[in-house]
Amino acid sequence: MCATTTETESPAALAPPAALKVRGPWRRPRRAAVLLAAAALLAGCGGGVFVGIGGDDDDPPVAALSVAPTQAVPGQVVTLLADARDDYGVDYVAFYQVLPNGGALRLGVVGAPPYQLAVALPADAAGIVQFFARAVDGYNQYGDSALATVQVVR
Protein backbone atom coordinates (compact mmCIF):
# COMPACT_ATOMS: atom_id res chain seq x y z
CA MET A 1 0.00 0.00 0.00
CA CYS A 2 1.29 3.43 -0.93
CA ALA A 3 0.57 6.28 1.37
CA THR A 4 1.95 9.64 2.33
CA THR A 5 2.81 9.93 6.00
CA THR A 6 3.54 12.84 8.25
CA GLU A 7 5.37 12.67 11.52
CA THR A 8 3.49 13.88 14.56
CA GLU A 9 5.90 12.72 17.21
CA SER A 10 9.23 14.22 18.09
CA PRO A 11 12.33 12.68 16.51
CA ALA A 12 13.50 11.50 19.95
CA ALA A 13 10.31 9.47 20.37
CA LEU A 14 10.88 7.79 16.99
CA ALA A 15 14.49 6.76 17.73
CA PRO A 16 14.98 3.06 18.55
CA PRO A 17 15.87 2.11 22.11
CA ALA A 18 19.59 1.80 22.81
CA ALA A 19 19.27 -1.99 23.07
CA LEU A 20 18.12 -2.19 19.42
CA LYS A 21 20.83 0.01 17.96
CA VAL A 22 23.12 -1.90 15.64
CA ARG A 23 26.80 -1.40 16.13
CA GLY A 24 29.87 -2.85 14.49
CA PRO A 25 30.38 -4.38 11.03
CA TRP A 26 26.67 -5.15 10.43
CA ARG A 27 25.62 -1.53 10.46
CA ARG A 28 26.39 -0.71 6.80
CA PRO A 29 24.90 -3.86 5.22
CA ARG A 30 21.70 -3.27 7.17
CA ARG A 31 21.62 0.33 5.96
CA ALA A 32 22.07 -0.88 2.37
CA ALA A 33 19.26 -3.40 2.82
CA VAL A 34 16.96 -0.69 4.19
CA LEU A 35 17.79 1.60 1.28
CA LEU A 36 17.19 -1.22 -1.21
CA ALA A 37 13.84 -2.02 0.40
CA ALA A 38 12.85 1.65 0.32
CA ALA A 39 13.78 1.88 -3.37
CA ALA A 40 11.73 -1.24 -4.12
CA LEU A 41 8.78 0.21 -2.22
CA LEU A 42 9.01 3.50 -4.12
CA ALA A 43 9.26 1.68 -7.44
CA GLY A 44 6.16 -0.37 -6.58
CA CYS A 45 4.27 2.82 -5.79
CA GLY A 46 5.11 4.37 -9.12
CA GLY A 47 8.05 6.27 -7.68
CA GLY A 48 10.83 7.56 -9.83
CA VAL A 49 13.31 4.73 -9.43
CA PHE A 50 14.94 3.70 -12.71
CA VAL A 51 18.09 1.71 -13.21
CA GLY A 52 19.22 1.04 -16.74
CA ILE A 53 21.71 1.63 -19.46
CA GLY A 54 20.85 3.27 -22.74
CA GLY A 55 17.21 3.96 -22.09
CA ASP A 56 14.62 4.69 -24.72
CA ASP A 57 16.12 7.94 -25.94
CA ASP A 58 18.04 6.31 -28.82
CA ASP A 59 16.64 7.51 -32.14
CA PRO A 60 17.00 5.52 -35.35
CA PRO A 61 19.40 6.85 -37.95
CA VAL A 62 18.31 9.09 -40.81
CA ALA A 63 19.60 8.85 -44.37
CA ALA A 64 19.45 10.97 -47.52
CA LEU A 65 20.59 9.73 -50.93
CA SER A 66 21.72 11.49 -54.08
CA VAL A 67 22.72 9.93 -57.39
CA ALA A 68 24.89 11.30 -60.20
CA PRO A 69 24.29 11.43 -63.05
CA THR A 70 20.49 11.46 -63.02
CA GLN A 71 20.31 10.38 -66.67
CA ALA A 72 22.35 7.44 -67.99
CA VAL A 73 22.41 4.69 -70.59
CA PRO A 74 22.17 0.98 -69.66
CA GLY A 75 25.52 -0.28 -68.35
CA GLN A 76 26.73 3.20 -67.40
CA VAL A 77 28.21 3.67 -63.93
CA VAL A 78 26.36 5.97 -61.55
CA THR A 79 27.53 7.12 -58.13
CA LEU A 80 25.30 6.81 -55.08
CA LEU A 81 26.17 9.18 -52.22
CA ALA A 82 24.40 8.94 -48.86
CA ASP A 83 24.34 11.35 -45.97
CA ALA A 84 23.68 9.31 -42.83
CA ARG A 85 23.37 10.55 -39.24
CA ASP A 86 22.53 9.05 -35.85
CA ASP A 87 22.59 10.32 -32.27
CA TYR A 88 25.05 7.55 -31.26
CA GLY A 89 26.77 6.94 -34.61
CA VAL A 90 26.13 5.08 -37.85
CA ASP A 91 27.61 1.57 -38.13
CA TYR A 92 27.15 1.25 -41.87
CA VAL A 93 25.09 2.29 -44.88
CA ALA A 94 23.67 -0.30 -47.29
CA PHE A 95 22.69 0.69 -50.83
CA TYR A 96 19.72 -0.92 -52.62
CA GLN A 97 18.17 -0.94 -56.07
CA VAL A 98 14.38 -1.18 -56.18
CA LEU A 99 13.37 -4.07 -58.46
CA PRO A 100 10.42 -3.95 -60.90
CA ASN A 101 8.49 -6.42 -58.69
CA GLY A 102 8.78 -4.08 -55.68
CA GLY A 103 11.59 -5.99 -53.97
CA ALA A 104 15.05 -4.60 -53.30
CA LEU A 105 18.49 -5.80 -54.34
CA ARG A 106 21.35 -5.01 -51.98
CA LEU A 107 24.15 -3.51 -54.03
CA GLY A 108 26.79 -2.99 -51.34
CA VAL A 109 27.66 -1.83 -47.85
CA VAL A 110 29.95 1.02 -46.79
CA GLY A 111 31.16 1.15 -43.18
CA ALA A 112 32.61 4.66 -42.95
CA PRO A 113 32.03 8.10 -44.45
CA PRO A 114 31.90 9.09 -47.18
CA TYR A 115 29.05 6.65 -47.74
CA GLN A 116 29.50 6.32 -51.48
CA LEU A 117 29.07 3.46 -53.96
CA ALA A 118 29.59 3.30 -57.74
CA VAL A 119 27.24 0.89 -59.55
CA ALA A 120 26.53 0.08 -63.17
CA LEU A 121 22.96 0.30 -64.41
CA PRO A 122 21.62 -3.08 -65.55
CA ALA A 123 22.08 -3.79 -69.25
CA ASP A 124 18.34 -4.34 -69.63
CA ALA A 125 17.38 -1.18 -67.70
CA ALA A 126 14.59 0.90 -69.16
CA GLY A 127 12.54 3.84 -67.97
CA ILE A 128 13.54 4.74 -64.41
CA VAL A 129 15.92 2.92 -62.06
CA GLN A 130 15.32 3.64 -58.37
CA PHE A 131 17.77 3.40 -55.46
CA PHE A 132 17.64 3.94 -51.71
CA ALA A 133 20.12 3.92 -48.83
CA ARG A 134 19.63 2.34 -45.42
CA ALA A 135 21.64 3.70 -42.46
CA VAL A 136 22.05 1.24 -39.56
CA ASP A 137 23.25 1.98 -36.02
CA GLY A 138 24.76 -0.21 -33.29
CA TYR A 139 21.33 -1.27 -32.00
CA ASN A 140 20.29 -2.47 -35.50
CA GLN A 141 17.88 0.43 -35.80
CA TYR A 142 17.69 1.72 -39.32
CA GLY A 143 16.43 4.59 -41.38
CA ASP A 144 15.79 4.50 -45.13
CA SER A 145 16.33 7.41 -47.47
CA ALA A 146 13.80 8.62 -49.97
CA LEU A 147 14.14 7.09 -53.42
CA ALA A 148 16.72 8.53 -55.79
CA THR A 149 16.08 7.93 -59.49
CA VAL A 150 18.07 7.64 -62.67
CA GLN A 151 16.30 8.18 -66.00
CA VAL A 152 17.49 5.56 -68.47
CA VAL A 153 18.07 7.02 -71.93
CA ARG A 154 18.73 5.05 -75.12
Side-chain angles (χ1 to χ4, degrees):
M1 173 165 79
C2 299
T4 304
T5 60
T6 58
E7 294 189 28
T8 57
E9 299 181 51
S10 69
L14 297 175
L20 294 179
K21 287 189 179 177
V22 178
R23 300 186 192 275
W26 294 101
R27 185 174 185 157
R28 287 194 180 151
R30 179 173 277 178
R31 183 178 294 164
V34 169
L35 290 174
L36 183 60
L41 181 62
L42 283 174
C45 293
V49 177
F50 174 76
V51 177
I53 297 174
D56 291 340
D57 64 345
D58 184 31
D59 295 324
V62 293
L65 179 65
S66 62
V67 61
T70 57
Q71 292 186 347
V73 296
Q76 183 176 342
V77 174
V78 296
T79 302
L80 306 174
L81 179 62
D83 178 25
R85 299 172 190 271
D86 184 61
D87 50 352
Y88 290 103
V90 173
D91 273 11
Y92 64 90
V93 172
F95 294 92
Y96 294 86
Q97 177 185 337
V98 178
L99 300 174
N101 66 4
L105 173 66
R106 185 184 231 178
L107 301 172
V109 174
V110 178
Y115 302 109
Q116 180 175 326
L117 186 69
V119 297
L121 291 180
D124 62 346
I128 293 176
V129 179
Q130 297 178 316
F131 301 95
F132 71 93
R134 174 171 286 173
V136 181
D137 69 9
Y139 293 104
N140 285 327
Q141 298 179 67
Y142 64 89
D144 291 341
S145 71
L147 296 177
T149 61
V150 174
Q151 176 70 44
V152 178
V153 293
R154 296 211 176 247

